[in-house]
Amino acid sequence: LTGGDPGLWMNLRSVPKSFGLELIESVFQFHSEVFEVPEFGVLLKDRIFPLLITIFNTQHFPNIVRLQRIACLFIKRFRNTLIPECEVFLSRLIRMVDAVTNQYWSNTLAIEVLKELCSEEQFLCDVFQHYDLQEDGSASIFQNIVSSLTRLVQTQLAQESELLIRKSHKQRCLDMLNLQDPPNIPVSHVVSIDLDCISMIVVCLTRNVVDAENRILTAMVKASWPSIVSVNTQILSKISEENIVLGVLDVCQNLTKICTQLGLEDARDAIIINICKYALPLESDPNPLL
């Protein structure tokens, strides 16, 4: 019905897409175990997944919001069983973060989904093992997530001579189910939640440090620290808001701790040198940031 086909046992020709998507989300949220039944598993892979990808190609805000909520649940619930399908969703999210647009609602939605996913400690490790470590042509999804997030911040900092970033408590775009038209999202808000997502990634890496012989975590840090250090350098050189600087320092502290525990001396030294550089006042600036 959601895809426009007539019902098999209900006397309905179709239902509004927004309503159908909400029903699918409810099933994923509360009854995802039904897809462990082989027949329902086939339905999920052969009917529901293609339908969701088709809707991804639209720019209808109400449907995209609902679709992103479904994509988030899909990846959470099935990332270890429907690996190729989750790769498609994750790649779409990365492209949405990278998208160049004057309306930032699509970037914001993608970042909010990634932030929600990264709140699960095991998510990043699963992604890295399923994609980045494979030699079968799979995309380096973990590295691409980090690169896209840091690239968005760097692009905005390069374009704006003065970018005021404030921590915002606005309602998430993912929760704006009652809107028909996309909201006007300021670029400062996009950068703020982007930085929150980067910080969450580093926190998750920190929590996954169990021992110094963790090869997977070591590879993850090696793949991500250059991008994170680069964006932190740019932030410290351009942003003076105290809350943003403190957030960057928390990221640097956690990343330094991880690199030390894993024996990544070059990465650790690069982070410390970067902090020291901005801890000292410049001749033209009697008031250092740190």
Side-chain angles (χ1 to χ4, degrees):
L1 289 171
T2 304
D5 297 330
L8 295 178
W9 53 271
M10 296 180 66
N11 189 23
L12 293 172
R13 290 185 178 274
S14 65
V15 297
K17 268 194 174 55
S18 57
F19 178 67
L21 291 172
E22 288 180 12
L23 290 178
I24 293 173
E25 179 188 351
S26 295
V27 174
F28 282 4
Q29 178 72 50
F30 302 109
H31 305 289
S32 61
E33 68 277 0
V34 302
F35 296 106
E36 296 175 4
V37 178
E39 291 79 6
F40 284 105
V42 171
L43 177 67
L44 175 63
K45 186 172 182 178
D46 293 347
R47 296 295 302 275
I48 298 177
F49 174 73
L51 169 65
L52 299 177
I53 293 302
T54 300
I55 299 174
F56 241 120
N57 296 325
T58 70
Q59 286 297 310
H60 186 240
F61 179 74
N63 289 344
I64 292 296
V65 170
R66 288 162 175 80
L67 176 63
Q68 294 288 30
R69 292 167 65 94
I70 293 173
C72 186
L73 288 170
F74 189 102
I75 296 168
K76 280 185 176 183
R77 300 289 192 268
F78 309 116
R79 65 175 180 264
N80 293 320
T81 53
L82 297 177
I83 295 175
E85 290 76 13
C86 287
E87 180 181 0
V88 173
F89 275 133
L90 289 166
S91 297
R92 296 271 180 142
L93 289 171
I94 292 168
R95 286 201 293 272
M96 288 182 72
V97 174
D98 279 333
V100 178
T101 175
N102 293 326
Q103 294 183 329
Y104 294 103
W105 62 266
S106 61
N107 309 77
T108 302
L109 278 171
I111 296 170
E112 287 177 349
V113 172
L114 290 175
K115 185 177 176 181
E116 177 73 19
L117 292 171
C118 291
S119 66
E120 292 190 3
E121 293 182 16
Q122 190 58 36
F123 167 74
L124 293 174
C125 289
D126 289 342
V127 165
F128 193 79
Q129 292 181 75
H130 291 328
Y131 308 112
D132 296 64
L133 285 182
Q134 301 304 313
E135 298 180 355
D136 59 359
S138 297
S140 299
I141 296 293
F142 168 74
Q143 188 171 7
N144 289 342
I145 288 174
V146 176
S147 296
S148 65
L149 291 170
T150 56
R151 187 163 50 244
L152 185 146
V153 176
Q154 290 173 317
T155 299
Q156 295 304 325
L157 289 176
Q159 292 176 351
E160 303 282 343
S161 57
E162 293 184 6
L163 181 59
L164 185 63
I165 305 175
R166 299 292 188 193
K167 291 296 181 182
S168 174
H169 298 287
K170 287 184 177 181
Q171 181 185 20
R172 296 190 311 168
C173 278
L174 281 173
D175 298 326
M176 295 180 180
L177 297 174
N178 60 328
L179 294 186
Q180 293 300 310
D181 298 316
N184 183 23
I185 306 292
V187 63
S188 59
H189 177 71
V190 181
V191 173
S192 176
I193 63 171
D194 192 301
L195 293 175
D196 287 342
C197 193
I198 294 172
S199 176
M200 187 169 291
I201 289 174
V202 175
V203 169
C204 286
L205 291 176
T206 305
R207 291 173 179 171
N208 276 286
V209 175
V210 178
D211 56 67
E213 299 299 324
N214 192 327
R215 295 181 180 179
I216 293 177
L217 190 60
T218 299
M220 292 174 71
V221 175
K222 285 182 177 179
S224 59
W225 78 261
S227 296
I228 296 174
V229 171
S230 177
V231 75
N232 285 346
T233 299
Q234 195 166 355
I235 292 171
L236 291 176
S237 67
K238 285 204 167 191
I239 303 298
S240 58
E241 287 98 316
E242 182 179 358
N243 60 329
I244 298 299
V245 172
L246 289 176
V248 168
L249 291 178
D250 282 340
V251 170
C252 292
Q253 182 179 12
N254 286 325
L255 201 53
T256 303
K257 184 188 301 183
I258 300 170
C259 293
T260 301
Q261 290 176 292
L262 296 176
L264 300 175
E265 297 179 358
D266 290 342
R268 177 203 63 196
D269 294 347
I271 299 167
I272 293 174
I273 290 171
N274 188 55
I275 295 174
C276 292
K277 176 182 176 181
Y278 291 98
L280 300 174
L282 301 174
E283 293 181 3
S284 59
D285 183 7
N287 298 310
L289 288 175
L290 311 181

